[in-house]
Amino acid sequence: MTLQEYDYARESPSKLAASCLLLALTMKNLGGWTPTLEYYSGYHSQDLHPLVKRLNFLLTYQPHDKLKAVRTKYSHRVFFEVAKVTPMDMLKLEEILKSC
């Protein structure tokens, strides 16, 4: 989804990937940013929080009238229907990120 948005072009690919991973871990309730993830990614959890919030906002308020191909593709079970995952409530995400 970020490939379709110019606002994310200025982010480094590694930071974007790390932020996506942290958001996915949080959404699926699989834990937080571990010391191992911090070591291998080079990012502290706090460094990723602003981008994680922006990514969740993108998922929450995505326009449904354009660029439907990506959403349709990732709604298929071959791709584990990740496009159908409900975004997190922004306040709940904020609380979880503060505790990390």
Side-chain angles (χ1 to χ4, degrees):
M1 301 252 340
T2 59
L3 292 173
Q4 303 167 6
E5 301 290 333
Y6 288 117
D7 293 342
Y8 294 92
R10 67 173 181 244
E11 300 293 343
S12 73
S14 63
K15 187 173 185 179
L16 189 57
S19 298
C20 289
L21 177 59
L22 179 55
L23 179 58
L25 290 170
T26 306
M27 289 173 80
K28 293 302 233 172
N29 201 20
L30 296 174
W33 202 245
T34 64
T36 303
L37 290 170
E38 184 176 319
Y39 176 79
Y40 284 107
S41 71
Y43 294 107
H44 296 284
S45 174
Q46 292 78 15
D47 298 338
L48 304 174
H49 290 182
L51 188 52
V52 168
K53 292 176 197 173
R54 284 179 48 214
L55 289 167
N56 192 60
F57 185 85
L58 176 67
L59 291 174
T60 304
Y61 299 105
Q62 56 185 316
H64 293 284
D65 59 336
K66 65 177 187 172
L67 304 170
K68 293 181 181 180
V70 172
R71 200 168 9 273
T72 302
K73 177 180 179 178
Y74 288 99
S75 293
H76 195 272
R77 65 185 175 117
V78 171
F79 295 102
F80 304 102
E81 299 177 337
V82 295
K84 295 180 181 178
V85 174
T86 306
M88 290 196 68
D89 178 65
M90 296 299 276
L91 294 175
K92 184 176 179 182
L93 178 62
E94 183 76 32
E95 288 177 18
I96 293 170
L97 292 177
K98 282 183 182 178
S99 66
C100 292

